[in-house]
Amino acid sequence: MAANTVAAYRRDLALYAAFIGPLPLAEVGEAEIAGFVRWLREGSEDRPALAASSTARAVSAVRGLHRFASREGLVAVDAAAGVRPPAAPRRLPRGLSVSDVLALLAAARGPTSLALRDAALLEFLYGSGARVSEAVGCAVDDVDLVDATVLLRGKGGRDRLVPVGGYARAAIEAYLVRARPALLAHRRTVTRDTHLLFRNARGGALTRQGAWGILRSAAATAGLPGPIPPHALRHSFATHLLDGGADVRVVQELLGHASVTTTQIYTLVTVEKLREVYATSHPRALG
């Protein structure tokens, strides 16, 4: 699993250990696990309630712990086998309109090294559909400006080669030539991450949090209503492709989804848009 996934499961199991306290794992029953789920959903004075999706992940971690303990003979029965996570409400990905994306991209542009980087990052995200983690993990050698393609290293070791448009290619080229060398010059120490494409103001590798900050800052400058989710440009990329007539399986490949069912949620966005257009435009829509 990815390091971030492992860290999330570790946090979930730490919460579980705090909840059951000194009770031995062999004495934990389904009632205690159900109580843990309620505790997560309801929250407490020192801990906010978790969303259904976060609770479902925690339940998955707890089920894995009890399954492991049962398999290793540490407990007599798997007390979590019958526990089911709460069903998360189905939410459509929140993308931006084409005009909002253009305003966001325009807001990031500027003559400074950081502005060139910001513009390149946002054009990269919207032009390739990359996850934020894939963008900050992208190496200089992963970008082919001649063929206008980028190699994205996705979840579960699933790499994919995707095309990027002319705007993204121009923005990345301007960043590589006019900004990245200047940012690298700010490094105080030589590190082994100099192969990564995007750099922060101190010359180090840009982090996911840094990329989210760039997105939020550009959104604020553009006057877009917040909050803007980290994957806003990825969601917009997929939705706009489908709006333009792209096949859902092509979008699946571009996004790096293992299953087309994951991609099909974006088709619901376009159906809702069609309904909205119909409701506001068709003379019989109000009948």
Side-chain angles (χ1 to χ4, degrees):
M1 291 183 176
N4 291 329
T5 302
V6 174
Y9 282 140
R10 182 176 288 115
R11 289 193 299 271
D12 294 335
L13 291 178
L15 281 174
Y16 184 55
F19 178 79
I20 64 176
L23 185 66
L25 198 62
E27 297 180 17
V28 173
E30 190 171 320
E32 284 77 18
I33 301 173
F36 173 64
V37 175
R38 287 194 301 272
W39 180 66
L40 292 178
R41 294 292 284 137
E42 294 171 1
S44 61
E45 292 183 358
D46 58 347
R47 186 190 53 77
L50 292 186
S53 57
S54 298
T55 303
R57 188 197 62 213
V59 171
S60 176
V62 169
R63 283 167 55 89
L65 171 65
H66 280 273
R67 185 167 57 249
F68 172 80
S70 176
R71 189 172 64 239
E72 296 296 311
L74 303 176
V75 298
V77 295
D78 182 354
V83 176
R84 294 290 177 264
R90 191 174 192 183
R91 291 193 296 265
L92 298 180
R94 184 185 171 196
L96 303 173
S97 67
V98 174
S99 60
D100 282 350
V101 169
L102 295 179
L104 182 72
L105 298 175
R109 298 191 192 109
T112 66
S113 295
L114 291 179
L116 288 168
R117 178 210 58 192
D118 295 352
L121 173 66
L122 298 186
E123 290 281 8
F124 183 101
L125 291 170
Y126 182 58
S128 67
R131 301 176 178 90
V132 172
S133 58
E134 293 170 344
V136 299
C138 183
V140 174
D141 289 343
D142 292 335
V143 180
D144 188 334
L145 293 177
V146 176
D147 288 340
T149 58
V150 58
L151 177 64
L152 299 176
R153 306 186 185 278
K155 293 181 177 180
R158 293 189 298 272
D159 297 347
R160 64 192 189 280
L161 191 67
V162 301
V164 293
Y167 287 98
R169 180 170 58 176
I172 294 169
E173 185 173 18
Y175 162 69
L176 284 172
V177 174
R178 296 160 48 195
R180 190 174 183 275
L183 293 177
L184 278 173
H186 293 161
R187 288 178 302 155
R188 295 181 180 178
T189 58
V190 177
T191 58
R192 291 184 293 178
D193 61 10
T194 53
H195 65 290
L196 295 178
L197 176 62
F198 293 107
R199 319 303 302 182
N200 62 28
R202 297 181 301 278
L206 186 68
T207 63
R208 289 185 306 155
Q209 290 76 13
W212 294 341
I214 291 168
L215 178 60
R216 287 194 298 267
S217 176
T221 301
L224 302 183
I228 302 296
H231 281 347
L233 290 177
R234 176 173 165 86
H235 297 325
S236 303
F237 166 86
T239 305
H240 297 169
L241 278 173
L242 291 166
D243 282 345
D247 183 87
V248 68
R249 289 199 175 274
V250 173
V251 178
Q252 173 197 356
E253 291 294 327
L254 292 172
L255 292 175
H257 287 159
S259 170
V260 73
T261 57
T262 309
T263 313
Q264 282 174 337
I265 190 171
Y266 290 102
T267 66
L268 300 178
V269 177
T270 58
V271 168
E272 289 301 317
K273 186 172 182 179
L274 289 173
R275 286 174 179 160
E276 179 183 347
V277 171
Y278 181 88
T280 56
S281 306
H282 196 280
R284 297 278 190 184
L286 301 179

